[in-house]
Amino acid sequence: MRAILALEDGTVFHGTSFTGDGEATGEVIFNTGMTGYQEILTDPSYHRQMVCMTYPHIGNYGINPEDIESDRIRVAAFIVKECCKEPSNWRATETLPNYLSRQGVMGIEGIDTRALTRHIRLNGAMRGVMTTTDDPATAVDKARAIPTMQGLNLAGDVSCRSPFFWTADGPVATDWDSLRWPTSGPKVAVYDFGVKYNILRELSCQGIQPLVVPADTPAARIRELGVDGVFLSNGPGDPEPVEQAIEAIRDLAQDTPIGGICLGHQLLALALGGRTYKLKFGHHGCNHPVQDSTTGVIEISSQNHGFCADVSMLEDITATHVNLNDQTLEGFRHRHKPLMAVQYHPEAAPGPNDAKPFFRRFAQMLTVQ
Ligand SMILES: NC(=O)CC[C@H](N)C(=O)O
């Protein structure tokens, strides 16, 4: 079925829908990962974004029930050069087109993804409309009417509504009144701004007991839990309008060890007095070189962010990591307090495991103070 992708600047790409009729809207960005499409599709940080894969053949190893980073597909739509409809992998239980269609998410193929990627690199991430029905002019008008990502508080859209424990068997629901920590080990409240499962898996691997809490949980409630630390998850949208969380983090940062990843990194930066800004086309892929400025070691990292933090004006903060492609901030820590965060994804999923020791450092920070 013929479909178009119309961008806000009037550019229109013609392709074919591999998920039937439909329409989708969102910010169009590109991801340079060669594999890992299932983790990308289910990463809540992609909420309201249409992801274009630069690798030309996607879907070859199908879909399995394990490689998910949340309970459903989160991207607004999926853009590929060629979608493989007959996957070959012993773990596959479903095809990519089926997976998307079943969850009502549109996929388009047959467009020139290299041209689209170049266009976004040169002109920046853009709002877009994917449609099988509208004519190009109508679709472009619709794209212009979508709210821009800047100023959008989306964490509440994807956060859990009530707390849950992360266990070896996955999430186990609890409620504030009957909450009882199930095992020993450091107790950590994980703010859920759209948390990826692999962050929770990695925290558990460190012997930590993660309790996942809604994005709007006030600091007072966290204090009542008597936690050993707080973790700030990744998540979609602009960090600046997530004011309630910034307020809670500012309060907790006075006396509680805090670690953060991606949106969590940005929110911690804002809570400490830093600033955030939108990048032109963001970092989305599995091959971004990041240098640890304290050791000189370079990690190849998984990344997915459209905004960036600036803490250069803060005396008590040390920048610990820098992106070697564009010199943007990739991590920081407080000089005297147990507070540290990274912009990239040490939990990978998908991506290389170079940065996994971050979780060990966080676990150590809970005990050595
Ligand atoms: N993966 C994330 O947490 C993304 C953070 C934020 N939404 C950004 O785009 O920069």
Side-chain angles (χ1 to χ4, degrees):
M1 179 170 306
R2 290 165 72 90
I4 56 167
L5 173 69
L7 303 182
E8 61 176 290
D9 70 349
T11 311
V12 177
F13 292 85
H14 294 262
T16 310
S17 163
F18 58 87
T19 50
D21 266 342
E23 180 170 311
T25 61
E27 182 184 50
V28 183
I29 48 125
F30 63 87
N31 185 302
T32 52
M34 292 171 73
T35 59
Y37 52 83
Q38 201 177 327
E39 291 90 330
I40 291 165
L41 289 171
T42 54
D43 178 347
S45 298
Y46 284 118
H47 177 53
R48 299 247 206 136
Q49 287 179 318
M50 301 201 220
V51 180
C52 167
M53 298 301 287
T54 58
Y55 189 70
H57 200 225
I58 297 290
N60 349 16
Y61 55 89
I63 298 292
N64 66 62
E66 290 105 38
D67 294 348
I68 47 170
E69 284 304 310
S70 70
D71 63 357
R72 59 184 181 278
I73 299 175
R74 306 298 185 137
V75 303
F78 206 35
I79 304 163
V80 298
K81 174 77 178 108
E82 188 183 344
C83 170
C84 172
K85 301 172 185 80
E86 288 177 39
S88 174
N89 187 283
W90 63 276
R91 296 169 74 214
T93 54
E94 195 176 7
T95 67
L96 174 60
N98 202 57
Y99 185 54
L100 288 165
S101 312
R102 192 164 57 76
Q103 298 198 35
V105 178
M106 256 189 105
I108 192 171
E109 67 174 329
I111 71 164
D112 186 343
T113 49
R114 281 190 296 190
L116 174 59
T117 300
R118 263 183 71 78
H119 192 70
I120 292 172
R121 264 192 74 97
L122 291 169
N123 302 290
M126 278 184 221
R127 294 165 291 168
V129 168
M130 189 185 289
T131 173
T132 51
T133 48
D134 284 342
D135 61 83
T138 312
V140 168
D141 281 347
K142 277 191 186 168
R144 289 179 183 153
I146 304 167
T148 59
M149 198 51 89
Q150 225 153 347
L152 276 191
N153 177 353
L154 299 179
D157 286 7
V158 295
S159 176
C160 60
R161 300 278 167 253
S162 51
F164 65 88
F165 283 108
W166 182 262
T167 70
D169 302 323
V172 173
T174 180
D175 59 63
W176 293 114
D177 301 326
S178 60
L179 195 150
R180 196 166 294 148
W181 297 83
T183 58
S184 57
K187 300 175 196 162
V188 168
V190 180
Y191 268 92
D192 179 12
F193 305 117
V195 70
K196 284 172 68 185
Y197 286 168
N198 220 38
I199 292 180
L200 302 171
R201 293 185 195 111
E202 289 296 334
L203 290 171
S204 301
C205 282
Q206 295 300 325
I208 287 169
Q209 176 58 66
L211 172 72
V212 183
V213 302
D216 59 2
T217 306
R221 178 137 255 178
I222 301 290
R223 288 187 195 288
E224 280 165 21
L225 297 169
V227 294
D228 299 296
V230 165
F231 203 87
L232 310 172
S233 86
N234 61 294
D238 186 345
E240 221 176 307
V242 193
E243 284 165 6
Q244 218 176 332
I246 296 169
E247 196 55 44
I249 297 163
R250 188 174 296 132
D251 183 334
L252 292 164
Q254 297 174 72
D255 54 10
T256 310
I258 301 181
I261 290 177
C262 214
L263 187 75
H265 169 262
Q266 298 162 356
L267 294 174
L268 184 59
L270 289 169
L272 296 174
R275 69 174 192 106
T276 53
Y277 59 96
K278 182 124 167 63
L279 293 166
K280 189 173 178 187
F281 50 84
H283 300 167
H284 312 276
C286 308
N287 54 356
H288 288 252
V290 164
Q291 185 162 35
D292 181 333
S293 344
T294 58
T295 60
V297 171
I298 297 166
E299 295 163 354
I300 302 301
S301 70
S302 186
Q303 304 216 357
N304 172 23
H305 56 110
F307 290 84
C308 199
D310 174 11
V311 292
S312 57
M313 71 299 272
L314 303 177
E315 272 179 22
D316 285 336
I317 302 297
T318 305
T320 53
H321 296 80
V322 63
N323 186 306
L324 294 180
N325 287 340
D326 62 6
Q327 312 304 313
T328 52
L329 181 72
E330 291 285 357
F332 68 83
R333 65 173 161 73
H334 196 281
R335 285 189 211 275
H336 320 294
K337 292 181 180 171
L339 308 171
M340 67 166 186
V342 288
Q343 181 63 71
Y344 56 99
H345 289 273
E347 82 283 7
N353 294 327
D354 300 21
K356 287 264 166 87
F358 172 81
F359 293 97
R360 198 179 57 233
R361 289 201 299 277
F362 175 69
Q364 284 165 350
M365 195 176 79
L366 300 176
T367 45
V368 188
Q369 282 174 50

